[in-house]
Amino acid sequence: MRDLAELLELGDEEHPPSERKLQILTVACRLFATKGFDGASMRDIAEECGISKATLYHHFPDKNAILRLVSMGTTKSIYLHIAAHDNPALPPMDRLKVFMVETARFFEKFRWAWLASAAMFWNDPQVRRRKQRLEWRDKYEAVLRDILRAAVENGDMREDLDIALAGRLVSSATNWLTRWYSPGGPLTAVQIVEQFHDMIVGGFQKPR
């Protein structure tokens, strides 16, 4: 649960968030991800936490408040995670692999929060909050486009590559892990993304 506190930037060393609040957020993320935002009620969250609804409402006024915190925190944190691991001094193709692998590592570590955030990303009626999340998402995608642009300039990718379309392809390969990836499968998310990287870089054609 402390990982979730780090993800959402809750409290600090002197004033850490309560274990109860972290428990609520952890349970809510899992329920939102498995039952859907509309399918998970405040009663469900309270029952899973083993607390009364009054105690739950003491921490959060409604489930929208929970999901908005998770959605903003996840979108911001994935960018900060990638930015911390990106090294422009590396060859562009190595940077691309780091980008994809670290995205997968982040997904594995914060899977429930990512799934819950993905469900809410486009549905928040508060325009200001939605704009803030889009700004963090755009920063994340800008790192990827910078890597692809460097690969073209370095001669690693063809000169006529559409950077925007290539970026969407890479992002889709990682982001859609949320739809079909199973932790109990034969491959980890990182192993899957490593294969995605090799397929994107090498293509599907058999070497001649």
Side-chain angles (χ1 to χ4, degrees):
M1 287 194 296
R2 287 293 151 186
D3 286 341
L4 190 60
E6 176 187 347
L7 171 75
L8 303 180
E9 297 183 326
L10 298 175
D12 51 41
E13 292 184 2
E14 294 185 2
H15 305 91
S18 69
E19 291 295 328
R20 179 65 73 198
K21 187 170 186 176
L22 289 177
Q23 180 198 26
I24 292 169
L25 287 166
T26 301
V27 168
C29 283
R30 178 170 54 80
L31 289 178
F32 291 157
T34 56
K35 301 180 70 172
F37 180 70
D38 292 332
S41 67
M42 290 291 273
R43 181 185 296 278
D44 293 331
I45 297 171
E47 289 179 353
E48 284 284 327
C49 290
I51 60 178
S52 67
K53 287 181 67 176
T55 299
L56 176 57
Y57 282 116
H58 171 73
H59 292 280
F60 295 99
D62 52 43
K63 63 180 183 178
N64 285 288
I66 300 174
L67 192 51
R68 283 172 188 146
L69 177 62
V70 171
S71 183
M72 177 64 77
T74 304
T75 308
K76 178 179 178 180
S77 291
I78 180 58
Y79 162 71
L80 295 176
H81 179 81
I82 289 300
H85 286 83
D86 181 45
N87 181 2
L90 289 176
M93 303 310 285
D94 290 343
R95 287 179 67 194
L96 178 60
K97 188 167 187 176
V98 169
F99 179 95
M100 295 178 69
V101 165
E102 289 304 325
T103 295
R105 290 192 201 283
F106 184 92
F107 167 71
E108 284 187 314
K109 186 175 183 180
F110 301 112
R111 179 169 173 262
W112 292 126
W114 185 318
L115 288 167
S117 175
M120 181 65 176
F121 194 88
W122 295 104
N123 298 321
D124 191 342
Q126 295 295 326
V127 175
R128 181 178 63 83
R129 281 192 291 262
R130 187 166 63 246
K131 181 180 178 181
Q132 288 175 332
R133 289 200 300 277
L134 287 171
E135 287 173 351
W136 285 113
R137 185 210 60 180
D138 290 346
K139 289 182 179 181
Y140 167 81
E141 293 184 349
V143 175
L144 174 57
R145 289 195 298 272
D146 179 68
I147 293 171
L148 295 172
R149 197 172 293 112
V152 171
E153 293 172 355
N154 196 50
D156 297 321
M157 294 184 177
R158 65 175 192 262
E159 295 180 358
D160 64 343
L161 183 73
D162 187 314
I163 300 297
L165 282 178
R168 293 190 188 101
L169 173 62
V170 175
S171 294
S172 296
T174 52
N175 291 341
W176 277 87
L177 286 170
T178 60
R179 292 289 185 179
W180 53 261
Y181 170 71
S182 172
L187 299 176
T188 67
V190 169
Q191 290 171 328
I192 291 170
V193 166
E194 285 176 336
Q195 291 197 36
F196 283 167
H197 170 269
D198 293 344
M199 292 174 188
I200 290 171
V201 171
F204 290 163
Q205 286 186 326
K206 181 179 179 179
R208 296 180 179 178

